[in-house]
Amino acid sequence: MALLELLQYPDPRLAQVCAPVDVITDEIKMLVANMADTMYEAPGVGLAAPQVGSFIRLFIMDATFKDEPPNLQVFINPQLELLGELVPSLQEGCLSVPHNYRADLKRYEAVKIRALNLEGQEFELELDDFAAVIVQHEYDHLDGKLFIDHISRLRRSLFDSKVKKCLKRQG
Ligand code: K1U
Ligand code: ZN
Protein backbone atom coordinates (compact mmCIF):
# COMPACT_ATOMS: atom_id res chain seq x y z
CA MET A 1 0.00 0.00 0.00
CA ALA A 2 1.36 3.43 -0.94
CA LEU A 3 -0.10 6.62 0.42
CA LEU A 4 0.41 9.81 -1.57
CA GLU A 5 0.83 13.28 -0.14
CA LEU A 6 -2.28 15.43 -0.57
CA LEU A 7 -1.70 19.02 -1.72
CA GLN A 8 -3.39 21.46 0.64
CA TYR A 9 -5.05 24.80 -0.11
CA PRO A 10 -3.66 27.48 -0.58
CA ASP A 11 -1.09 25.55 -2.67
CA PRO A 12 -1.27 27.38 -6.06
CA ARG A 13 -0.77 24.08 -7.93
CA LEU A 14 -4.37 23.17 -7.06
CA ALA A 15 -5.48 26.00 -9.38
CA GLN A 16 -3.83 24.46 -12.48
CA VAL A 17 -5.94 23.31 -15.40
CA CYS A 18 -4.95 19.69 -16.01
CA ALA A 19 -3.79 18.20 -19.31
CA PRO A 20 -5.50 15.25 -21.05
CA VAL A 21 -3.98 11.79 -20.66
CA ASP A 22 -2.28 10.72 -23.93
CA VAL A 23 -1.53 7.07 -23.21
CA ILE A 24 -2.64 4.89 -20.29
CA THR A 25 0.79 3.71 -19.18
CA ASP A 26 1.78 1.37 -16.33
CA GLU A 27 2.78 4.52 -14.47
CA ILE A 28 -0.80 5.80 -14.69
CA LYS A 29 -2.13 2.41 -13.52
CA MET A 30 0.23 2.61 -10.53
CA LEU A 31 -0.89 6.19 -9.85
CA VAL A 32 -4.53 5.04 -9.78
CA ALA A 33 -3.72 2.18 -7.37
CA ASN A 34 -1.89 4.60 -5.05
CA MET A 35 -4.69 7.18 -5.34
CA ALA A 36 -7.20 4.48 -4.33
CA ASP A 37 -5.10 3.57 -1.27
CA THR A 38 -4.89 7.26 -0.37
CA MET A 39 -8.63 7.87 -0.85
CA TYR A 40 -9.75 4.85 1.19
CA GLU A 41 -7.25 5.63 3.96
CA ALA A 42 -8.30 9.32 4.27
CA PRO A 43 -11.23 8.32 4.12
CA GLY A 44 -12.74 9.97 1.07
CA VAL A 45 -15.32 9.23 -1.60
CA GLY A 46 -13.35 10.72 -4.49
CA LEU A 47 -9.87 11.92 -5.40
CA ALA A 48 -8.54 13.81 -8.41
CA ALA A 49 -5.00 13.40 -9.77
CA PRO A 50 -4.00 17.07 -9.19
CA GLN A 51 -4.67 16.64 -5.46
CA VAL A 52 -1.67 14.28 -5.38
CA GLY A 53 0.49 16.44 -7.66
CA SER A 54 -0.28 14.80 -11.05
CA PHE A 55 -1.76 17.44 -13.31
CA ILE A 56 -3.65 15.13 -15.66
CA ARG A 57 -7.38 14.72 -16.34
CA LEU A 58 -8.09 11.70 -14.18
CA PHE A 59 -10.14 11.10 -11.05
CA ILE A 60 -11.47 8.20 -9.02
CA MET A 61 -14.67 7.80 -7.04
CA ASP A 62 -16.34 5.29 -4.75
CA ALA A 63 -19.89 6.44 -3.98
CA THR A 64 -20.96 3.25 -2.18
CA PHE A 65 -22.24 3.31 1.39
CA LYS A 66 -20.37 1.72 4.31
CA ASP A 67 -22.40 -1.51 4.29
CA GLU A 68 -21.98 -2.07 0.52
CA PRO A 69 -19.00 -3.71 -1.19
CA PRO A 70 -16.52 -1.12 -2.51
CA ASN A 71 -16.87 -0.01 -6.13
CA LEU A 72 -13.89 1.98 -7.35
CA GLN A 73 -14.62 3.89 -10.54
CA VAL A 74 -11.86 5.46 -12.64
CA PHE A 75 -12.55 8.37 -15.00
CA ILE A 76 -9.85 9.33 -17.52
CA ASN A 77 -10.27 12.37 -19.81
CA PRO A 78 -13.88 12.80 -18.62
CA GLN A 79 -16.40 14.90 -20.52
CA LEU A 80 -19.21 16.20 -18.36
CA GLU A 81 -22.76 17.19 -19.25
CA LEU A 82 -24.72 18.92 -16.47
CA LEU A 83 -28.37 17.88 -16.29
CA GLY A 84 -31.45 19.34 -14.58
CA GLU A 85 -31.39 22.34 -12.25
CA LEU A 86 -28.89 23.75 -9.78
CA VAL A 87 -30.28 22.55 -6.45
CA PRO A 88 -29.16 22.76 -2.82
CA SER A 89 -26.87 19.83 -2.28
CA LEU A 90 -25.26 18.03 0.62
CA GLN A 91 -22.41 19.49 2.65
CA GLU A 92 -19.16 19.17 0.76
CA GLY A 93 -15.69 18.76 2.13
CA CYS A 94 -12.38 18.27 0.37
CA LEU A 95 -9.25 16.34 1.21
CA SER A 96 -7.24 19.35 -0.05
CA VAL A 97 -9.07 21.95 2.03
CA PRO A 98 -7.77 22.27 5.60
CA HIS A 99 -9.60 22.41 8.95
CA ASN A 100 -12.18 19.85 7.77
CA TYR A 101 -14.05 22.87 6.35
CA ARG A 102 -17.47 21.95 4.97
CA ALA A 103 -20.10 24.02 3.18
CA ASP A 104 -23.54 23.68 1.62
CA LEU A 105 -23.37 24.25 -2.11
CA LYS A 106 -25.72 24.16 -5.05
CA ARG A 107 -24.91 21.50 -7.64
CA TYR A 108 -26.70 20.22 -10.74
CA GLU A 109 -29.19 17.46 -10.00
CA ALA A 110 -27.65 14.95 -12.38
CA VAL A 111 -24.76 14.52 -14.80
CA LYS A 112 -23.91 12.53 -17.87
CA ILE A 113 -20.24 11.62 -17.95
CA ARG A 114 -18.24 10.04 -20.74
CA ALA A 115 -14.70 8.89 -19.96
CA LEU A 116 -12.08 6.19 -20.53
CA ASN A 117 -11.51 3.41 -18.03
CA LEU A 118 -8.06 2.03 -17.13
CA GLU A 119 -8.25 -0.34 -20.15
CA GLY A 120 -8.75 2.66 -22.44
CA GLN A 121 -12.37 1.76 -23.20
CA GLU A 122 -14.90 4.57 -23.46
CA PHE A 123 -17.98 4.42 -21.21
CA GLU A 124 -20.89 6.70 -20.43
CA LEU A 125 -22.86 6.99 -17.18
CA GLU A 126 -25.83 9.01 -16.04
CA LEU A 127 -25.58 9.74 -12.32
CA ASP A 128 -27.68 11.54 -9.72
CA ASP A 129 -27.70 12.07 -5.94
CA PHE A 130 -24.39 11.69 -4.11
CA ALA A 131 -22.50 10.30 -7.14
CA ALA A 132 -23.47 13.32 -9.27
CA VAL A 133 -22.21 15.68 -6.55
CA ILE A 134 -18.90 13.84 -6.22
CA VAL A 135 -18.38 13.85 -10.00
CA GLN A 136 -19.01 17.63 -10.18
CA HIS A 137 -16.56 18.17 -7.28
CA GLU A 138 -13.83 15.97 -8.82
CA TYR A 139 -14.31 17.40 -12.32
CA ASP A 140 -13.81 20.90 -10.87
CA HIS A 141 -10.40 19.79 -9.53
CA LEU A 142 -9.30 19.02 -13.12
CA ASP A 143 -10.10 22.63 -14.05
CA GLY A 144 -8.24 23.99 -11.03
CA LYS A 145 -11.38 24.73 -9.01
CA LEU A 146 -12.15 23.88 -5.39
CA PHE A 147 -15.56 23.76 -3.73
CA ILE A 148 -14.62 26.89 -1.76
CA ASP A 149 -14.59 28.74 -5.11
CA HIS A 150 -18.40 28.30 -5.07
CA ILE A 151 -19.15 29.72 -1.60
CA SER A 152 -20.16 33.34 -0.90
CA ARG A 153 -17.46 36.03 -0.84
CA LEU A 154 -18.10 36.63 2.85
CA ARG A 155 -17.70 32.95 3.79
CA ARG A 156 -14.62 32.70 1.59
CA SER A 157 -12.91 35.70 3.15
CA LEU A 158 -13.65 34.38 6.66
CA PHE A 159 -12.19 31.02 5.68
CA ASP A 160 -9.14 32.58 4.01
CA SER A 161 -8.45 34.64 7.15
CA LYS A 162 -8.55 31.49 9.27
CA VAL A 163 -6.15 29.68 6.90
CA LYS A 164 -3.74 32.66 6.85
CA LYS A 165 -3.79 32.95 10.64
CA CYS A 166 -3.00 29.25 11.07
CA LEU A 167 -0.19 29.33 8.49
CA LYS A 168 1.33 32.39 10.23
CA ARG A 169 1.17 30.62 13.60
CA GLN A 170 2.94 27.57 12.11
CA GLY A 171 5.73 29.93 10.90
O1 K1U B 1 -12.04 15.39 -3.81
C1 K1U B 1 -11.94 15.27 -2.59
O2 K1U B 1 -11.30 16.09 -1.94
C2 K1U B 1 -12.62 14.13 -1.87
C3 K1U B 1 -13.93 14.56 -1.23
C4 K1U B 1 -15.05 14.34 -2.23
C5 K1U B 1 -16.40 14.90 -1.91
C6 K1U B 1 -16.95 14.88 -0.64
C7 K1U B 1 -18.22 15.38 -0.41
C8 K1U B 1 -18.95 15.89 -1.45
C9 K1U B 1 -18.40 15.91 -2.70
C10 K1U B 1 -17.14 15.41 -2.94
C11 K1U B 1 -14.13 13.72 0.01
O3 K1U B 1 -14.26 12.55 -0.06
S1 K1U B 1 -14.17 14.55 1.56
C12 K1U B 1 -14.59 13.21 2.71
C13 K1U B 1 -16.05 12.90 2.73
O4 K1U B 1 -16.85 13.76 2.42
C14 K1U B 1 -16.53 11.56 3.14
C15 K1U B 1 -15.68 10.61 3.63
C16 K1U B 1 -16.16 9.36 4.00
C17 K1U B 1 -17.50 9.07 3.87
C18 K1U B 1 -18.37 10.03 3.39
C19 K1U B 1 -17.89 11.27 3.01
ZN1 ZN C 1 -11.78 17.91 -3.33
Side-chain angles (χ1 to χ4, degrees):
M1 169 150 130
L3 299 181
L4 304 170
E5 194 183 325
L6 288 159
L7 300 189
Q8 291 294 300
Y9 177 81
D11 191 318
R13 290 174 292 174
L14 288 166
Q16 276 189 45
V17 176
C18 295
V21 172
D22 281 338
V23 188
I24 302 170
T25 57
D26 287 346
E27 201 180 309
I28 284 184
K29 290 180 182 171
M30 182 60 74
L31 171 69
V32 167
N34 294 339
M35 282 174 62
D37 288 343
T38 307
M39 179 186 77
Y40 286 120
E41 178 72 16
V45 289
L47 190 64
Q51 293 180 271
V52 293
S54 291
F55 301 96
I56 54 172
R57 301 190 78 80
L58 181 161
F59 67 80
I60 60 173
M61 165 174 96
D62 189 336
T64 54
F65 292 101
K66 254 188 190 163
D67 52 350
E68 294 174 331
N71 179 27
L72 182 72
Q73 291 177 291
V74 182
F75 300 84
I76 300 171
N77 295 341
Q79 289 171 273
L80 191 64
E81 199 182 321
L82 302 165
L83 304 173
E85 307 280 315
L86 262 181
V87 291
S89 167
L90 47 88
Q91 277 217 326
E92 288 188 32
C94 179
L95 300 177
S96 294
V97 172
H99 310 302
N100 198 22
Y101 184 73
R102 303 189 82 82
D104 296 303
L105 294 192
K106 284 189 174 175
R107 291 288 192 184
Y108 284 89
E109 287 173 284
V111 296
K112 191 185 274 186
I113 185 160
R114 190 178 301 155
L116 300 178
N117 63 19
L118 263 188
E119 286 70 51
Q121 295 151 339
E122 194 172 81
F123 65 96
E124 189 178 279
L125 288 175
E126 221 172 286
L127 302 167
D128 56 13
D129 295 326
F130 192 31
V133 175
I134 300 170
V135 160
Q136 289 172 74
H137 177 115
E138 301 308 331
Y139 191 90
D140 269 357
H141 275 298
L142 307 186
D143 285 334
K145 281 186 237 149
L146 298 174
F147 82 96
I148 51 173
D149 296 329
H150 295 286
I151 63 180
S152 72
R153 281 168 64 171
L154 175 63
R155 278 178 200 273
R156 178 61 180 267
S157 72
L158 289 171
F159 177 66
D160 281 342
S161 309
K162 180 174 174 172
V163 171
K164 258 192 206 144
K165 217 167 157 184
C166 286
L167 287 173
K168 218 173 176 183
R169 221 182 288 139
Q170 285 163 17

